[in-house]
Amino acid sequence: MVLVKKYYKLLIFIMLTLVLHINIFFYFFMQEEFKIAFIADAHFHDVYAEFKDNSFDGLKNSITGKNAKIRTMDAQLTSTRLFNENYYALDTALADLADKKIKYVGLAGDFSDDGQIIHLRGLRKILDSYTEKYGMQFFAIPGNHDPVKPVDNPNGKSDFLGKGGQEQRIFSKGAKECVNYSGNKALIDTGKGLPTVCTEEILELGYTGIIKEMGKYGFYPQKDYIYWATPYSTYDYETYNYGKAVKESELGKRTYEECFQGTGGKYKKEGYTNCLKVEDSTYLVEPVKGIWLLAVDANVYTPTKEINEQNLKDPKNFDGSGNAGYNKMISHKTQTVEWIAEIVKKAEKEGKILITFSHFPMIDFYDTNSKLLEEVFGANKLDLRRVPTEETAKTMAGTGVRLNIAGHLHFNDTGVRKYDNGDFLVNVQVPSLAAYVPGYKLLTVKNKNLMEVETVEIRDVPRFKELFEHYKTEHQYLAENNPNKNWNEKILESKDYGEFADWHLTELTRKRFLPECPKELQEMLKIMNGKDILIYTNLNEDISMTDLEAVKNGKVSGLDKKKYKAWKDAEKKADEQAKKNGLDLNDFEKWNGFDLAVDFYRMMNADELALKYIDKSRINEYSVIYGNIKNKTNNVQTNEKFNFYFSRLFIGMYNFSNAEPSDKFVIDFDKKEIIDLKNNTNRIK
């Protein structure tokens, strides 16, 4: 008894410590798995939206009986995103999540297509229906398309689909297209095409309007949240209560100062100019015990060199945020980056599992190809201006963030950075529902250090052909009035939404990507097929594209005999090489330079997902050509331009197809490694 009294405090301490460790063990290793889906870049456009001012009726749809308010097919096929059919894809993705009984969904930016009220109303209606029916909770964070500018931005679109297949201009008051707008005159006849529709329904909302519409999706505290905070909260986890959170959640209290040169406020340096207040919708939420979702508003709308001092709400005072991302976060939004680091420490202290998501990536999304792409296309082409620098990646890893779920690029990708100081950062790119390959990511938290990521493709979309009747009218109009602008009608023969998205990328390559390529590369792709390319990599003599055309067309009379013999010798080598690899040289002729370009963009966009839909035989043919280019076994020194462009194209495709796993994989944060669960062997080798 004396001994018990003597060691009473020690025994109590041991028992409490034991209970604590048992609880920690059960929390991290025995708790039920937490699942959350991430949808990025839905670019929701309400195809059956109601213009409340009755300014635009749209087109009567024979299937639904409703009036469709859609963009033209031409607009879709010259944009990196679809505008119309993703309306159906979003509903299909949410229905799929409901079937899987997934309750939590993160919307990683660009949930709207430019933040117009008419589309936000429709989006809210769909999200609310899934909340009411299935108990889903949505957590949104804005992208560069919602909002386009931090303040209301008068704008619109010139390419809605109007009567007779013509383009219909729809703009808001304040846009130059509606300078003569008045409440009594919603139509302006320009003397060309259909009259311009002027309506505030198409106004691009800033933060205030968008957060007002989307507030309950994470932007403001809700009663059922265990915890909710922002970089501007004055309370901490221990002192949290819902009433206090509501008072401090007002958007006007969540602002920071940024200047043209960098972050303002206490970070402002001497000489900083053009400093403006901007809203920051970043928030932290604990929707279920033990899980912290950190939703980072990584939009940075840098003040322009010259601002309108008389009207600080002038949208022209700000640049768009599309090319800014985390590169600008670390220089112009310092307080948020520092807060992220604080949250990581608090999560560790409180024993929470932290999941970070934002619209923008923290790591280069081009799979080590950025320099190569810059050499071919130029520094400001593709999405190269949006690539996070290595300094940025290291800075964000230095905050302690281990995982960032991102969108923005409409890419499927996984980026990993491991540093000598122990920092380990994984960036998961969520594919867009509005681009190739359409899908979402499903994250399963096994425990604190083990998370599984699965990519779920959205291919079978009911009703995706519902608007095709309107496109047929457009196609006929273009055929009669502007055939050069027309598109391939075979897209309307798509068997499913996945094939439709593939056609979108194919036509996008023809109508936009290829015309942006260097002229020399365009010419080579136009002339050459796979057989020519393989032969060329076996060639030891110089031959121009003109000479190659002569050889291909059998016009050898004016061709240097030495060059002709060299080509035939190279063709013999190529034939032997093909046979050695179990291939037929003539099969290489089945694909041409355009097919190669489309496959390049498929791999760039979809990474591992694209490899499912490219024939294994063609991948093997690419592998043979890549081997020649990489190893230089044939001493290829001919045609400097050929070697410059094609070496980079094939090395790029090799890198895309052999990057970090991006379909289904496990992230082991303890071992700091990615474990591939699919082991796709259809890769360029």
Side-chain angles (χ1 to χ4, degrees), residues 77-245:
L77 300 182
T78 52
S79 170
T80 54
R81 63 190 185 276
L82 292 163
F83 298 115
N84 304 326
E85 280 64 35
N86 36 315
Y87 169 90
Y88 307 104
L90 175 62
D91 189 55
T92 300
L94 294 177
D96 184 58
L97 291 171
D99 287 343
K100 291 183 170 77
K101 302 188 185 308
I102 304 299
K103 298 294 184 183
Y104 304 99
V105 183
L107 302 177
D110 284 1
F111 43 77
S112 71
D113 202 60
D114 294 339
Q116 301 100 333
I117 183 65
I118 195 167
H119 301 318
L120 289 170
R121 285 197 301 257
L123 176 61
R124 198 180 67 223
K125 185 177 180 180
I126 288 178
L127 299 183
D128 284 352
S129 70
Y130 278 90
T131 296
E132 292 166 9
K133 191 171 183 180
Y134 301 104
M136 284 187 188
Q137 290 189 43
F138 297 95
F139 304 94
I141 203 67
N144 56 299
H145 282 272
D146 37 36
V148 175
K149 296 289 181 75
V151 295
D152 289 355
N153 186 44
N155 208 343
K157 307 296 178 185
S158 63
D159 50 22
F160 275 81
L161 186 55
K163 294 177 181 178
Q166 298 183 69
E167 288 187 344
Q168 172 65 66
R169 298 178 296 273
I170 306 181
F171 288 87
S172 63
K173 182 180 179 181
K176 66 180 185 298
E177 290 82 0
C178 290
V179 290
N180 297 318
Y181 171 89
S182 70
N184 298 320
K185 187 177 181 183
L187 294 177
I188 296 178
D189 191 351
T190 63
K192 184 180 181 181
L194 300 172
T196 301
V197 173
C198 295
T199 171
E200 291 301 83
E201 293 283 88
I202 210 72
L203 173 71
E204 295 175 353
L205 298 176
Y207 272 107
T208 301
I210 289 177
I211 302 303
K212 180 181 178 181
E213 292 296 319
M214 300 288 289
K216 61 183 173 182
Y217 308 127
F219 290 115
Y220 289 133
Q222 305 298 310
K223 286 184 179 179
D224 54 351
Y225 294 167
I226 298 171
Y227 181 59
W228 185 93
T230 77
Y232 312 94
S233 302
T234 61
Y235 51 82
D236 55 26
Y237 193 69
E238 290 76 15
T239 61
Y240 175 77
N241 68 70
Y242 173 67
K244 185 182 292 186

Side-chain angles (χ1 to χ4, degrees), residues 65-83:
K66 298 178 181 179
N67 284 7
K69 288 87 173 180
I70 60 177
R71 306 280 287 282
T72 66
M73 178 63 85
D74 180 65
Q76 297 200 113
L77 300 182
T78 52
S79 170
T80 54
R81 63 190 185 276
L82 292 163
F83 298 115

Side-chain angles (χ1 to χ4, degrees), residues 284-302:
L284 174 72
V285 61
E286 184 174 2
V288 62
K289 189 172 179 58
I291 300 293
W292 275 11
L293 301 179
L294 177 55
V296 180
D297 178 359
N299 279 320
V300 180
Y301 303 92
T302 310

Side-chain angles (χ1 to χ4, degrees), residues 319-348:
D319 287 330
S321 67
N323 296 328
Y326 281 93
N327 290 334
K328 287 287 187 182
M329 279 282 289
I330 62 177
S331 61
H332 285 69
K333 216 167 181 176
T334 310
Q335 79 292 334
T336 304
V337 176
E338 291 183 352
W339 183 75
I340 291 171
E342 292 174 10
I343 291 302
V344 172
K345 292 177 182 176
K346 287 181 180 179
E348 187 68 28

Side-chain angles (χ1 to χ4, degrees), residues 425-601:
L425 174 62
V426 178
N427 186 89
V428 174
Q429 287 297 129
V430 182
S432 170
L433 288 175
Y436 177 86
V437 167
Y440 67 84
K441 296 284 185 179
L442 181 59
L443 177 69
T444 301
V445 179
K446 303 286 188 179
N447 59 55
K448 180 182 178 182
N449 289 314
L450 208 62
M451 300 186 191
E452 181 181 300
V453 179
E454 180 183 1
T455 310
V456 181
E457 293 183 45
I458 300 298
R459 296 192 65 84
D460 297 318
V461 174
R463 300 172 57 195
F464 86 97
K465 293 186 177 184
E466 199 165 86
L467 305 171
F468 282 18
E469 63 183 82
H470 306 302
Y471 301 141
K472 289 178 181 177
T473 304
E474 176 195 347
H475 192 276
Q476 182 178 346
Y477 174 81
L478 289 174
E480 295 171 357
N481 296 276
N482 194 354
N484 291 332
K485 192 178 181 180
N486 218 343
W487 35 270
N488 193 332
E489 202 172 11
K490 286 185 178 179
I491 190 173
L492 302 183
E493 299 173 10
S494 299
K495 298 180 183 65
D496 56 37
Y497 184 66
E499 185 178 340
F500 183 80
D502 184 67
W503 263 111
H504 170 251
L505 183 64
T506 301
E507 280 292 84
L508 184 62
T509 301
R510 180 179 70 86
K511 293 169 72 69
R512 175 172 164 177
F513 289 156
L514 273 182
E516 292 177 351
C517 288
K519 294 295 183 184
E520 298 94 334
L521 178 56
Q522 289 184 50
E523 188 63 24
M524 291 178 197
L525 292 172
K526 183 179 179 181
I527 294 171
M528 304 182 84
N529 58 42
K531 181 178 177 181
D532 300 327
I533 295 171
L534 180 60
I535 293 171
Y536 222 118
T537 61
N538 281 279
L539 195 64
N540 291 317
E541 298 288 337
D542 189 24
I543 184 170
S544 67
M545 289 297 109
T546 303
D547 290 340
L548 173 57
E549 265 196 302
V551 172
K552 284 170 63 67
N553 295 326
K555 298 178 181 178
V556 297
S557 57
L559 188 65
D560 184 288
K561 291 182 179 179
K562 184 179 178 183
K563 289 183 179 179
Y564 182 71
K565 183 179 183 304
W567 182 265
K568 288 301 178 181
D569 288 344
E571 185 174 3
K572 185 178 179 182
K573 290 180 183 177
D575 184 53
E576 293 171 353
Q577 189 176 34
K579 289 176 180 176
K580 184 179 178 181
N581 286 275
L583 302 169
D584 187 326
L585 179 61
N586 291 324
D587 287 340
F588 283 71
E589 203 169 9
K590 293 178 181 178
W591 53 269
N592 56 32
F594 178 73
D595 298 323
L596 171 64
V598 173
D599 281 348
F600 178 86
Y601 287 112

